[in-house]
């Protein structure tokens, strides 16, 4: 059995992992899918910065007394797990970035795709409707999308804790220009291997079996 903590991306909440969670739980794993402050079922509480999201995750692992955790982040969830890792490194088996950016220490997520304009930290970004091949899933997702606080993306990433392995899963059909492409190109340049699944960017909901398989195989 593996303990997985799965962190969602922008405009989403813990609900975006529910299909993967059910598959992993049915296979005997322990799975937690928290919502980050400011989003999902915690959208009523503002997030003041990346340290808020880091503490969301580290505190959860501590309060639940979790050990040997595979901490996975989808999309913007990548910056949350990267920020949390130094705070809970002794509880981690590894990090998995699922079509997610993994900025270098000192980088801000907002700068990954080019210089960002000077924006207020208090800004909350509205979601754009998604359009998927499955109309029912599209409607279900759009009913749950929520605004995302900008502040966490304006903060630099901390140093990476030694001894915590990092693994990467990318989606074959993610449009060019997404932040995850920056990390993927860096891995290519370094010759670092990664997994690719035949999916769009919302793989945790559209291709949950493939994501669950990738997570368990990486473990």
């Amino acid at each position: 059995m593996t303990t997985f903590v799965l962190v969602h991306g922008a405009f989403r909440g813990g609900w975006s992992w529910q299909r993967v969670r059910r598959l992993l739980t049915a296979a005997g794993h322990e799975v937690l899918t928290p919502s980050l402050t400011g989003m999902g079922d915690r959208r009523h509480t503002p997030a003041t910065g990346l340290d808020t999201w880091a503490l969301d995750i580290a505190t959860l692992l501590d309060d639940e007394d979790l050990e040997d955790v595979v901490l996975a982040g989808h999309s913007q969830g990548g910056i949350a797990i990267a920020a949390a890792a130094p705070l809970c490194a002794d509880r981690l088996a590894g990090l998995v970035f699922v079509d997610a950016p993994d900025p270098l220490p000192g980088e801000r997520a907002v700068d990954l795709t080019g210089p960002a304009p000077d924006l207020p930290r208090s800004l909350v970004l509205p979601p754009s409707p998604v359009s998927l091949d499955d109309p029912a899933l599209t409607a279900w997702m759009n009913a749950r999308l929520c605004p995302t606080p900008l502040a966490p993306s304006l903060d630099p990433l901390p140093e990476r804790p030694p001894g915590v392995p990092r693994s990467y899963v990318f989606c074959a059909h993610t449009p060019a220009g997404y932040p995850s492409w920056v990390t993927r190109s860096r891995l290519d340049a370094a010759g670092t291997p990664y997994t690719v699944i035949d999916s769009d960017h919302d793989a945790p909901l559209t291709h949950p079996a493939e994501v669950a398989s990738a997570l368990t195989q990486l473990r």
Side-chain angles (χ1 to χ4, degrees):
M1 185 191 75
T2 299
T3 299
F4 291 96
V5 174
L6 310 177
V7 180
H8 61 86
F11 312 113
R12 289 149 177 76
W15 54 264
S16 67
W17 280 105
Q18 68 169 243
R19 292 185 173 186
V20 175
R21 183 189 69 228
R22 290 168 180 166
L23 291 171
L24 292 174
T25 300
H29 303 290
E30 182 177 5
V31 187
L32 287 80
T33 56
S35 291
L36 297 170
T37 297
M39 290 190 286
D41 56 285
R42 302 180 68 185
R43 58 186 176 272
H44 55 281
T45 304
T48 58
L50 188 55
D51 58 342
T52 302
W53 287 356
L55 286 170
D56 285 342
I57 297 167
T59 302
L60 173 67
L61 269 58
D62 188 53
D63 286 353
E64 293 287 340
D65 198 22
L66 302 179
E67 301 285 350
D68 202 30
V69 173
V70 173
L71 181 58
H74 171 242
S75 196
Q76 191 182 41
I79 69 168
I81 66 170
L87 305 180
C88 53
D90 59 334
R91 295 186 178 274
L92 298 178
L95 304 177
V96 184
F97 296 82
V98 181
D99 218 35
D102 183 15
L104 300 174
E107 281 189 320
R108 306 186 309 167
V110 75
D111 294 324
L112 284 178
T113 54
D118 187 15
L119 299 171
R121 293 185 63 84
S122 59
L123 185 63
V124 178
L125 305 174
S128 297
V130 300
S131 180
L132 307 172
D133 292 337
D134 183 338
L137 181 58
T138 297
W140 186 87
M141 283 189 66
N142 283 328
R144 288 161 175 78
L145 295 178
C146 64
T148 288
L150 176 65
S153 294
L154 297 175
D155 291 333
L157 272 292
E159 293 295 322
R160 298 177 175 182
V164 179
R166 298 168 111 85
S167 301
Y168 303 88
V169 177
F170 294 103
C171 300
H173 306 296
T174 296
Y178 273 50
S180 58
W181 276 101
V182 176
T183 293
R184 186 172 177 178
S185 65
R186 288 173 175 175
L187 297 176
D188 286 337
T192 303
Y194 52 78
T195 299
V196 179
I197 60 176
D198 187 16
S199 168
D200 56 275
H201 179 63
D202 272 302
L205 281 169
T206 61
H207 293 74
E210 290 87 340
V211 174
S213 177
L215 290 173
T216 54
Q217 288 178 19
L218 287 171
R219 182 67 180 98

